[in-house]
Amino acid sequence: MNLPLPMPDGPDILLVEDTASMRTIYESHLRRAGYRTVSAGTAAEGLEMFRVHPISVVLLDLMLPDRDGLDLLVDLLQMRPETSVVVVAAERSTDRTVTAIRRGALDYLVKPVTESRLMEAVEAARRAANLAHRPHSAAARAPLPDFIGQSAPMHEVYDRIRAAARSMAPVCICGESGTGKELAALAIHRLSARAQGPFITLDCGAIPPDRLESELFGHRRGAFVGALSDRLGAAELADGGTLFLDGVGELHPTLQPRLLRFLQSGLVHPLGAEAARRVNLRILSASTLPLAEAVRMGQLREDLFYRLQVVGLQMPPLRRRGEDIVPLAETFLARFAAIEGRSFTRITPEAMALLRAYPWPGNVRELSNVLRAVTVLHEGEELTAAMLPPELASPAPSRPGAGLATVPDLSGLTLAEVERAAIEAALTRHEGAVQKAAADLGVSPSTLYRKLESWRTD
């Protein structure tokens, strides 16, 4: 095997492609953009070149004459995990895409690959590789911005966020209401190669179904009654950055096929527009209900699930983060004391014991709200147990959905009737407080509002 000697400055990109004409085309595009390339026609040649050169980006065809490209992908990343690998395939296959991303590929291209699409992928790969080559810097070891907590569950979250940030893979962040799902999505964006691009959030559960398509894809003037001017949707606003679909497990069934087509094609077709436009963005999503469970319940299409959750991230509830309650409470107290002009500087041991013992069904958001209320309603240097809400001394059931035990005999009821009984029982326990009832049931408040509205029109 005749292999080239290492280049003086080293090549930027290794191209592994068995078709000579395709190698020539890719090399031409890359060299015109100023990249230095080295290429191979087989997996064995590519692996050897990878050993010889300090490559940071690999463009890898999955159909090679001597070996499956997916297996070569694993070997490359085992040798140098910080490498950015962009895979290329002759046809789009959901299974192959998911497998490639889960094995560590940064992006997945389908032939024929246009020059613009190739350069988008390679430039993102270079940015990701540059970030990954600084693993031992002080910034990389520091806690993630805006997060508080050193518990084992949170360290798992931090590691997962850092790993997900290197990739272009779709990530779905699941967890109870108030656990910080949007904060995690924003951290992935800020640590990614797209950090300089926009971060656009769309709350799928809070927008009425008849407006959701327009909010996501935009519309042109006159597309429907009330469309008085052109409007960009969230997908176009996120071009070059990240689109965060919050509450995606509650996405209305009529919009799911359109979202699936968009994820497959990357084309945005605003309502009333004659032509579609291609956008380049990354999809992050969040759901209080695990997406696999939403599929099982018939709320989410299975093919959409595979597009949204290549990588999963589970946010732990506060009751599993016991040691984090103290720094969280102290941080919130100091923050709100400064905002409200109070002199609080510490929390008494008795008050801290109550904070630690309470199960926090509303998670970090509920803890923050409690500390904000205390600073608004009280004065002094010490936060005492007497200042805390009375329910902290007699907490409600700690497990989301635990209120089901208080529902009367459910035998003979349909699933819809059981669901309604559980929701009504939770609302009764919390005296009609939708936010608290939703936290108790482990769903978002928008879900309960929609259920209540639908029952009013029955």
Side-chain angles (χ1 to χ4, degrees):
M1 183 186 305
N2 296 321
L3 293 173
L5 295 175
M7 295 182 181
D9 297 322
D12 297 304
I13 298 171
L14 169 62
L15 172 60
V16 186
E17 165 65 63
D18 65 322
T19 305
S21 60
M22 296 303 299
R23 285 202 306 274
T24 300
I25 292 172
Y26 295 154
E27 287 174 339
S28 174
H29 293 333
L30 293 168
R31 288 173 179 168
R32 188 160 49 245
Y35 290 109
R36 295 163 298 183
T37 66
V38 63
S39 61
T42 66
E45 290 178 0
L47 189 59
E48 188 60 31
M49 288 181 174
F50 188 74
R51 291 193 181 102
V52 170
H53 299 291
I55 298 292
S56 59
V57 175
V58 178
L59 195 62
L60 174 63
D61 186 20
L62 290 187
M63 295 297 292
L64 298 172
D66 56 335
R67 195 176 178 198
D68 190 331
L70 289 175
D71 294 333
L72 177 58
L73 167 65
V74 173
D75 285 350
L76 297 176
L77 293 178
Q78 284 179 344
M79 291 173 62
R80 292 203 288 272
E82 68 277 10
T83 307
S84 294
V85 181
V86 177
V87 299
V88 184
E91 59 182 17
R92 184 175 294 279
S93 164
T94 299
D95 291 341
R96 297 278 281 181
T97 303
V98 170
T99 301
I101 297 297
R102 283 183 171 163
R103 292 187 183 183
L106 183 73
D107 205 346
Y108 189 102
L109 307 181
V110 180
K111 296 179 181 178
V113 182
T114 64
E115 181 175 2
S116 61
R117 181 70 181 96
L118 176 70
M119 298 317 303
E120 284 175 2
V122 169
E123 287 163 12
R126 284 286 289 174
R127 289 193 297 269
N130 289 338
L131 288 172
H133 273 81
R134 299 196 297 267
H136 302 298
S137 67
R141 293 194 303 270
L144 293 178
D146 300 323
F147 281 93
I148 301 167
Q150 297 295 327
S151 63
M154 287 309 294
H155 275 292
E156 292 178 9
V157 168
Y158 302 153
D159 290 343
R160 195 80 166 170
I161 286 174
R162 288 190 174 99
R166 284 195 60 249
S167 171
M168 280 284 290
V171 180
C172 184
I173 306 163
C174 292
E176 297 171 16
S177 179
T179 51
K181 296 185 290 295
E182 184 169 0
L183 199 62
L186 188 56
I188 293 172
H189 170 75
R190 287 174 173 169
L191 290 172
S192 76
R194 294 175 171 265
Q196 301 306 311
F199 178 84
I200 303 297
T201 297
L202 185 68
D203 191 340
C204 300
I207 301 173
D210 59 344
R211 283 181 44 210
L212 191 54
E213 185 170 5
S214 173
E215 293 289 332
L216 179 55
F217 299 117
H219 63 254
R220 296 294 178 261
R221 180 181 178 182
F224 51 85
V225 175
L228 303 180
S229 61
D230 292 354
R231 180 174 179 177
L232 294 179
E236 285 188 276
L237 292 172
D239 192 15
T242 301
L243 175 60
F244 176 51
L245 301 175
D246 199 6
V248 74
E250 305 165 42
L251 192 65
H252 197 273
T254 59
L255 190 61
Q256 292 184 26
R258 284 229 42 201
L259 178 60
L260 179 63
R261 286 195 296 273
F262 164 63
L263 296 178
Q264 290 172 331
S265 67
L267 296 174
V268 174
H269 198 153
L271 296 175
E274 295 182 359
R277 174 176 176 261
R278 184 174 297 279
V279 294
N280 174 23
L281 53 79
R282 184 186 189 177
I283 294 288
L284 302 177
S285 59
S287 176
T288 53
L289 180 69
L291 292 194
E293 182 67 10
V295 172
R296 189 188 67 78
M297 296 171 64
Q299 296 180 7
L300 187 74
R301 293 171 56 123
E302 186 173 11
D303 46 6
L304 185 55
F305 163 74
Y306 287 116
R307 291 287 176 185
L308 291 170
Q309 185 170 308
V310 173
V311 176
L313 173 60
Q314 184 70 37
M315 297 300 293
L318 187 54
R319 61 184 174 276
R320 285 189 51 225
R321 302 174 51 191
E323 64 191 86
D324 292 338
I325 291 176
V326 172
L328 280 165
E330 291 175 340
T331 300
F332 289 145
L333 182 65
R335 180 184 302 169
F336 296 136
I339 292 173
E340 301 296 338
R342 302 301 200 213
S343 56
F344 286 107
T345 59
R346 57 190 176 274
I347 302 173
T348 66
E350 296 78 14
M352 189 61 77
L354 288 177
L355 294 176
R356 290 176 62 90
Y358 186 66
W360 299 109
N363 294 292
V364 177
R365 185 183 296 125
E366 184 182 6
L367 175 62
S368 173
N369 289 346
V370 166
L371 271 296
R372 182 69 182 266
V374 167
T375 58
V376 168
L377 298 174
H378 300 278
E379 294 186 5
E381 293 185 356
E382 284 190 331
L383 188 158
T384 67
M387 297 177 182
L388 294 172
E391 58 262 30
L392 265 67
S394 54
S398 63
R399 178 175 57 86
L404 285 173
T406 66
V407 178
D409 181 17
L410 303 177
S411 58
L413 298 182
T414 65
L415 180 60
E417 290 168 336
V418 170
E419 177 186 61
R420 182 164 183 167
I423 291 173
E424 289 175 343
L427 289 169
T428 298
R429 282 196 309 280
H430 294 288
E431 299 178 341
V434 173
Q435 293 277 352
K436 291 184 178 180
D440 198 1
L441 294 167
V443 300
S444 69
S446 59
T447 297
L448 295 198
Y449 283 121
R450 282 207 311 277
K451 294 289 183 183
L452 294 171
E453 183 62 30
S454 68
W455 294 338
R456 292 190 189 101
T457 58
D458 283 350

